[in-house]
Amino acid sequence: MTPTITAFEQSPDRGQGLARDMRVRWALEEVGQPYDVRLLSFEAMKEPAHLARHPFGQIPTYEEGDLILFESGAILLHIAQRHPGLLPDDADARARAIGWMFAALNTMEPPIFERTMAIVVESDRAWHAERLPMLEDRIHVRLNQLSVRLGDADWLDGAFSAGDLLMVTVLRRLGSSTLLDAYPNLSAYVARGEARPAYRRAFDAQRAVFMATSASR
Ligand code: GTB
């Protein structure tokens, strides 16, 4: 059964693959699972039909027969558990890879997302210039620790996994800043993720949405 995911009809990132449908698209491409996409306006995301899928009125969601999922991490875990390719077979290695999925979402993403939100919604506040360095210091603490752990390995724990997929999508959010510059191994790690053919297919698919909607305006 072909799953359907939801994505922004007009992503604010203008086709840079920063919205969270990108990680779902990438996972589906990695495992070779074709998918359909339901594009939603910001208004449609808050209407009852979508709220029935997602209590918070957000994207992405994932529908497969009677199963409806929200939360990108839960969707990734579902895909990774149902298809070979994103989690190791060995039980201990699998548990560690799932641990990295949580680390990406619970430890790395919050300070990085906080900085994005500060820039998007708080930059006109008097205290913004003082707050931003504090937020960036918090990110550096985590980047430094992650960089030490990754060392000169290609991926966080052996073969590429759903943990790497999520971590790369989280770190990509720093792409427009210089924060990653102090960590050449993390920059190379992100570039390795972006070079994967499945990533390219996912990126091109979501970018095609931006190109189509901007051409029709
Ligand atoms: N924890 C949830 C998950 O992981 O699925 C968070 C989902 C979420 O934040 N969805 C956002 C959303 O639907 C889109 S991804 N927002 C609309 C709303 O809440 O009303 C966040 C996002 C949006 C835009 C950019 N961008 O333009 O760069 C990047 C990321």
Side-chain angles (χ1 to χ4, degrees):
M1 174 167 300
T2 303
T4 299
I5 69 167
T6 51
F8 284 135
E9 188 176 69
Q10 286 172 11
S11 182
D13 71 355
R14 305 175 61 80
Q16 292 308 301
L18 296 174
R20 289 181 174 98
D21 60 296
M22 179 62 196
R23 50 187 65 165
V24 178
R25 292 173 184 270
W26 184 6
L28 289 166
E29 292 288 353
E30 287 285 349
V31 302
Q33 171 63 58
Y35 59 97
D36 294 325
V37 184
R38 182 181 301 112
L39 298 175
L40 296 174
S41 65
F42 281 93
E43 295 74 35
M45 286 164 58
K46 308 303 175 198
E47 286 170 3
H50 188 62
L51 287 171
R53 292 179 211 113
H54 195 310
F56 309 118
Q58 296 183 310
I59 60 99
T61 57
Y62 176 97
E63 292 155 70
E64 185 186 4
D66 291 337
L67 175 67
I68 303 178
L69 288 175
F70 61 96
E71 282 298 331
S72 58
I75 296 168
L76 259 284
L77 187 56
H78 172 77
I79 294 167
Q81 285 177 329
R82 293 298 189 285
H83 302 268
L86 285 173
L87 287 174
D89 291 335
D90 174 76
D92 287 356
R94 197 177 181 91
R96 289 196 303 274
I98 292 170
W100 279 115
M101 294 176 72
F102 279 83
L105 300 179
N106 284 358
T107 302
M108 297 302 295
E109 188 160 54
I112 291 174
F113 194 66
E114 187 72 13
R115 174 183 174 275
T116 304
M117 292 307 286
I119 291 170
V120 172
V121 301
E122 297 172 2
S123 49
D124 58 346
R125 301 301 183 94
W127 34 262
H128 176 72
E130 273 183 75
R131 184 162 185 258
L132 192 60
M134 185 190 75
L135 296 176
E136 294 191 339
D137 283 351
R138 285 187 198 146
I139 294 173
H140 275 301
V141 170
R142 294 296 177 230
L143 291 178
N144 188 48
Q145 292 165 325
L146 187 67
S147 171
V148 168
R149 173 53 76 100
L150 179 66
D152 59 6
D154 279 355
W155 306 114
L156 288 165
D157 192 322
F160 176 83
S161 78
D164 295 297
L165 190 158
L166 283 174
M167 194 64 82
V168 168
T169 62
V170 167
L171 296 179
R172 280 194 74 241
R173 200 180 284 275
L174 298 172
S176 58
S177 76
T178 57
L179 287 168
L180 273 182
D181 293 358
Y183 314 94
N185 66 335
L186 294 184
S187 298
Y189 172 68
V190 172
R192 249 187 317 278
E194 291 175 334
R196 292 179 71 84
Y199 174 93
R200 295 305 327 164
R201 289 194 295 274
F203 184 90
D204 290 348
Q206 64 78 40
R207 184 162 176 77
V209 175
F210 167 70
M211 300 304 275
T213 51
S214 57
S216 68
R217 265 182 279 158

